[in-house]
Amino acid sequence: VSTQSTGYKVGFWATCCNSLHILSPFTVMARRYDSRTTIFSPEGRLHQVEYAMEAISHAGAAIGILTNEGIVLAAEKMITSKLLEQGTSSEKMYKLDNHVACAVAGITADANILINYARLATQRFLFSYQFPMPVEQLVQQVCDLKQGYTQYGGQRPFGVSFLYAGWDKHDGFQLYQSDPSGNYGGWKATAIGKNNSNAQSILKQDFKEDMTLKDAQQLAVKVLSKVMESTTLSSEKLEFGVLTRQNNKTVFRSLTKKELDELIKSTTIENTDAK
Amino acid sequence: GINAEYGVSQDCLWFLQLSFSHSLPSSKSANMSIMSYNGSAVLAMTGKNCIAIASDTRFGIQHQTLAANFPKVFQMSDKIFLGLTGLFTDIQTFHEKLVFRLNLYKLREERDMKPSVFASLVSTLLYEKRFGPYFVEPIIAGLEGPENKPYICSTDLIGAPLLTSDFVVGGTADEALLGMCESLYKPDMDPETLLRPFLNVYLHRLTGTHFPVGEQLSI
């Protein structure tokens, strides 16, 4: 007998009993089935959401740093095989519109769905209002979608966290982080994915309010090097994206292999100098 | 009849003009076409490794000209220009719809759309409204592929494409434009020589048409 079929029946009775505050022989078994997505556990947790975040903590790290000159998004590439066709498309960073881009940590297939949704949202807004969608509104739309999967439908949540980097007329450069629960926050510097707590504490120590973009890039390299598994840092394992304003236009650019190599070299040199 | 209301002397003539135009019957003769309600003219030509596209800049409602800074050619991407003739509200909306689709294509494919692909998109979007169409007749002009081969195309309001290698025209002055093009066009003109007959065609057409479409061009 599959757990699926018995689970439904037991869960149904268990929830009835729980809501009527009746002790039943099923309440003990019910705890096993609280792992259903749209139900609270007796301790008041949403297990599926937590499991989703656990999935993300095994994914490649991504860091975002906000400066007055722009935003740096840096990520660790997990899939590096010589057999892989290295096209122009990126594994971790995606443009959502001309003025917003995001970095991904988690299940790539889930991320693709959300990225497509976000892109449609930006274009729908542009079509209706004839100006670029404010960054926070975009984040809210995506987060509202994610939240729906924690409350309705019985489908599992998306196993993705995003770092959104964008510029708009009202609030300038902004960096946001969202997670599978649908929660989001604005940050000056933050990290998602593997070892994100380590990365976050290093960022907390070394982030300064008026960093230049170059400083931020070097800080990102430094943080990633301490957080990534491989001992040697090379441009094949990294992806860097920079969002800036040039000529009254917002530009999101990925650093080329050459630029990455130079950046890594200059960061290690400075670190050894500091020592 | 004329509804003559008098304002203060300087504004008097302006007032009169406004009132006069409001009291005109809504159709000039028996039945005015919706496609000539606003009036527009767009022309595109191919040359040697180049294309030229021009439109008038008049914004008007029937006989009345309201503005002279309303071009009807839009640069959709680096190598694609779109000229739209017809009803202005539909020109604006249809252009915005195309921007929507083009942006999504660029985000997903991470490259620009080819002009021929864009023309197919235009055709498809128009036919979707087959029984309640957008009153626009688009002209697509661009440079196709890595060799920048000139590409021009026009469609009718329900998306039937017309692919030519020389020139396409659209709008209320289309027949006049066609005539001038036929006589002045030569294949494989380079950009400078292309512009000369181009302007000739345009300037010539500006005189003596049913709906004069403004004295400025945007090229």
Side-chain angles (χ1 to χ4, degrees):
Chain A
V1 179
S2 74
T3 44
Q4 198 94 10
S5 53
T6 47
Y8 176 73
K9 286 188 197 131
V10 176
F12 174 72
W13 283 113
T15 41
C16 284
C17 293
N18 274 333
S19 56
L20 296 171
H21 298 290
I22 297 171
L23 272 176
S24 91
F26 296 110
T27 41
V28 176
M29 269 165 80
R31 297 234 164 90
R32 278 193 226 151
Y33 296 95
D34 279 328
S35 305
R36 277 178 56 201
T37 65
T38 52
I39 288 182
F40 279 110
S41 77
E43 297 93 42
R45 291 151 69 173
L46 292 168
H47 283 293
Q48 281 300 307
V49 175
E50 294 182 14
Y51 299 159
M53 303 213 211
E54 179 64 27
I56 294 167
S57 66
H58 297 305
I63 296 174
I65 304 176
L66 178 70
T67 72
N68 292 328
E69 297 173 5
I71 307 173
V72 179
L73 289 176
E76 170 195 0
K77 277 205 261 211
M78 290 299 279
I79 311 172
T80 49
S81 157
K82 272 195 215 144
L83 294 176
L84 195 67
E85 262 285 16
Q86 288 279 346
T88 47
S89 46
S90 125
E91 179 198 319
K92 301 283 282 184
M93 307 220 182
Y94 300 90
K95 233 172 106 164
L96 300 178
D97 196 358
N98 288 330
H99 63 294
V100 198
C102 69
V104 165
I107 302 174
T108 310
D110 287 5
N112 287 337
I113 302 288
L114 288 171
I115 286 164
N116 193 43
Y117 180 83
R119 285 170 171 169
L120 281 167
T122 56
Q123 293 311 307
R124 274 195 302 261
F125 188 97
L126 182 65
F127 179 80
S128 298
Y129 303 105
Q130 291 296 300
F131 75 91
M133 189 170 194
V135 189
E136 186 164 0
Q137 273 196 48
L138 175 62
V139 176
Q140 283 167 348
Q141 289 243 305
V142 178
C143 285
D144 287 348
L145 181 69
K146 287 197 204 184
Q147 188 277 343
Y149 282 76
T150 70
Q151 197 175 16
Y152 324 109
Q155 292 171 299
R156 69 164 176 81
F158 290 98
V160 199
S161 279
F162 284 107
L163 290 177
Y164 307 84
W167 185 95
D168 63 41
K169 211 169 56 158
H170 301 286
D171 295 308
F173 289 112
Q174 298 150 73
L175 176 66
Y176 295 96
Q177 175 189 337
S178 76
D179 61 27
S181 65
N183 225 356
Y184 76 92
W187 293 83
K188 294 177 192 169
T190 187
I192 51 177
K194 216 180 280 193
N195 287 329
N196 65 323
S197 44
N198 282 349
Q200 195 89 16
S201 49
I202 303 173
L203 283 172
K204 203 166 166 188
Q205 280 176 348
D206 293 343
F207 176 79
K208 289 176 201 45
E209 284 292 335
D210 24 338
M211 287 179 95
T212 63
L213 201 59
K214 184 121 201 308
D215 289 340
Q217 286 176 0
Q218 291 187 332
L219 176 58
V221 173
K222 181 177 161 202
V223 173
L224 275 177
S225 68
K226 294 209 176 146
V227 144
M228 272 165 66
E229 281 170 353
S230 49
T231 44
T232 53
L233 200 63
S234 78
S235 56
E236 276 109 38
K237 292 227 87 192
L238 290 185
E239 251 186 74
F240 257 70
V242 181
L243 188 105
T244 49
R245 290 277 292 173
Q246 285 164 17
N247 297 333
N248 258 332
K249 273 197 183 157
T250 315
V251 175
F252 179 71
R253 209 174 63 81
S254 289
L255 294 189
T256 61
K257 183 177 184 310
K258 198 162 154 243
E259 288 170 316
L260 266 177
D261 285 330
E262 278 174 29
L263 183 63
I264 295 170
K265 220 184 341 171
S266 66
T267 317
T268 33
I269 290 174
E270 281 196 25
N271 275 342
T272 48
D273 278 348
K275 282 180 195 164
Chain B
I2 301 171
N3 179 19
E5 290 175 49
Y6 291 89
V8 182
S9 58
Q10 263 176 333
D11 299 327
C12 179
L13 285 170
W14 178 243
F15 251 46
L16 271 176
Q17 186 196 357
L18 274 178
S19 317
F20 182 79
S21 60
H22 279 309
S23 64
L24 269 178
S26 57
S27 54
K28 186 192 174 224
S29 53
N31 245 322
M32 168 170 293
S33 158
I34 185 97
M35 297 296 280
S36 55
Y37 182 75
N38 290 123
S40 48
V42 172
L43 157 67
M45 276 186 182
T46 58
K48 197 171 181 62
N49 296 325
C50 69
I51 48 112
I53 184 166
S55 79
D56 71 307
T57 55
R58 173 183 178 267
F59 172 60
I61 295 179
Q62 296 192 186
H63 293 290
Q64 184 167 23
T65 302
L66 292 164
N69 58 354
F70 195 82
K72 296 158 202 74
V73 174
F74 307 97
Q75 181 161 19
M76 302 304 286
S77 82
D78 274 349
K79 295 196 202 163
I80 303 180
F81 286 85
L82 173 74
L84 288 165
T85 64
L87 193 64
F88 282 7
T89 174
D90 287 353
I91 287 177
Q92 287 182 319
T93 303
F94 192 64
H95 167 247
E96 287 163 16
K97 261 186 99 145
L98 284 168
V99 167
F100 181 103
R101 296 293 297 258
L102 201 57
N103 280 351
L104 274 175
Y105 185 96
K106 199 163 177 195
L107 284 168
R108 289 167 176 160
E109 298 275 323
E110 296 180 15
R111 62 187 175 90
D112 282 324
M113 222 191 246
K114 290 204 289 221
S116 53
V117 174
F118 184 72
S120 298
L121 176 64
V122 168
S123 177
T124 305
L125 286 177
L126 288 171
Y127 195 82
E128 278 174 6
K129 303 278 185 196
R130 169 65 178 79
F131 300 109
Y134 286 112
F135 294 110
V136 293
E137 294 198 330
I139 286 176
I140 298 114
L143 298 171
E144 178 106 354
E147 290 131 19
N148 287 338
K149 188 165 175 300
Y151 177 93
I152 51 171
C153 172
S154 78
T155 81
D156 70 4
L157 77 173
I158 46 174
L162 174 69
L163 204 58
T164 59
S165 56
D166 40 23
F167 50 83
V168 284
V169 298
T172 48
D174 55 359
E175 284 174 10
L177 283 170
L178 262 178
M180 287 310 297
C181 281
E182 289 284 0
S183 46
L184 292 179
Y185 179 82
K186 281 195 311 275
D188 273 340
M189 293 185 279
D190 66 52
E192 283 102 41
T193 44
L194 184 58
L195 272 178
R196 243 179 279 127
F198 205 65
L199 289 170
N200 276 335
V201 170
Y202 232 84
L203 288 170
H204 183 273
R205 187 219 44 63
L206 283 174
T207 60
T209 50
H210 259 308
F211 285 93
V213 286
E215 281 124 37
Q216 292 175 24
L217 309 179
S218 69
I219 296 186

